[in-house]
Amino acid sequence: MEGWTIRSRATALDSWPQVLQHHVGDRDAVAHAVGEEVVARFPVLDPDLPWREWFRELLLAARPILRAYPGVARRLALRGPNVPAALPIIDHGVALPARSGLGVEAMAAYHVLFAGAMSPIAIEDDRSAAGVCPHWT
């Protein structure tokens, strides 16, 4: 979600920048809306899964979704999934490790797991944008 402007997004949508700004807002509001739409595509998983399996299934399913929208993983890694579509993910992502004995450290565990999974995807995005093979050699 780096290296773009309201004008470039409006052009891609066959619209005018003023229309996009009127209906969505400034650049940050557009990026937030894109993040909301992308996170809403993440699967809703069974909250009764063991926490490790829940995270594995969520993050493996999220990777191809995020790769289709370069820059979103970086934004999520840096700012967290601060969009309404992420609330069930955050709730379960914190509750599951808490129930598994991590207690007050469950939030930190969730953050490490989520941000840690977003970082390699963000690196792949950067490598692709730079014209470098996105896979580690």
Side-chain angles (χ1 to χ4, degrees):
M1 294 175 59
E2 301 298 321
W4 61 271
T5 64
I6 291 285
R7 180 174 302 283
S8 68
R9 292 301 88 204
T11 299
L13 295 168
D14 195 27
S15 184
W16 295 94
Q18 297 83 354
V19 172
L20 188 58
Q21 286 179 310
H22 174 75
H23 288 284
V24 181
D26 64 7
R27 186 179 191 280
D28 194 53
V30 171
H32 187 80
V34 169
E36 170 72 19
E37 289 295 320
V38 172
V39 171
R41 295 170 190 253
F42 289 6
V44 176
L45 300 173
D46 180 357
D48 293 329
L49 287 172
W51 74 270
R52 285 185 177 106
E53 187 177 340
W54 186 89
F55 271 102
R56 183 177 47 252
E57 286 189 28
L58 172 70
L59 298 173
L60 287 174
R63 185 183 177 282
I65 295 167
L66 291 165
R67 288 293 290 140
Y69 299 92
V72 174
R74 173 179 299 286
R75 185 174 176 90
L76 293 175
L78 293 173
R79 299 184 183 198
N82 61 351
V83 295
L87 292 178
I89 295 169
I90 296 168
D91 288 346
H92 292 303
V94 174
L96 291 172
R99 285 195 311 247
S100 297
L102 289 176
V104 296
E105 295 188 2
M107 178 60 87
Y110 162 79
H111 178 71
V112 167
L113 289 167
F114 192 84
M118 296 300 107
S119 296
I121 299 168
I123 290 168
E124 284 184 82
D125 289 347
D126 289 349
R127 291 172 62 90
S128 292
V132 177
C133 177
H135 303 287
W136 297 104
T137 56

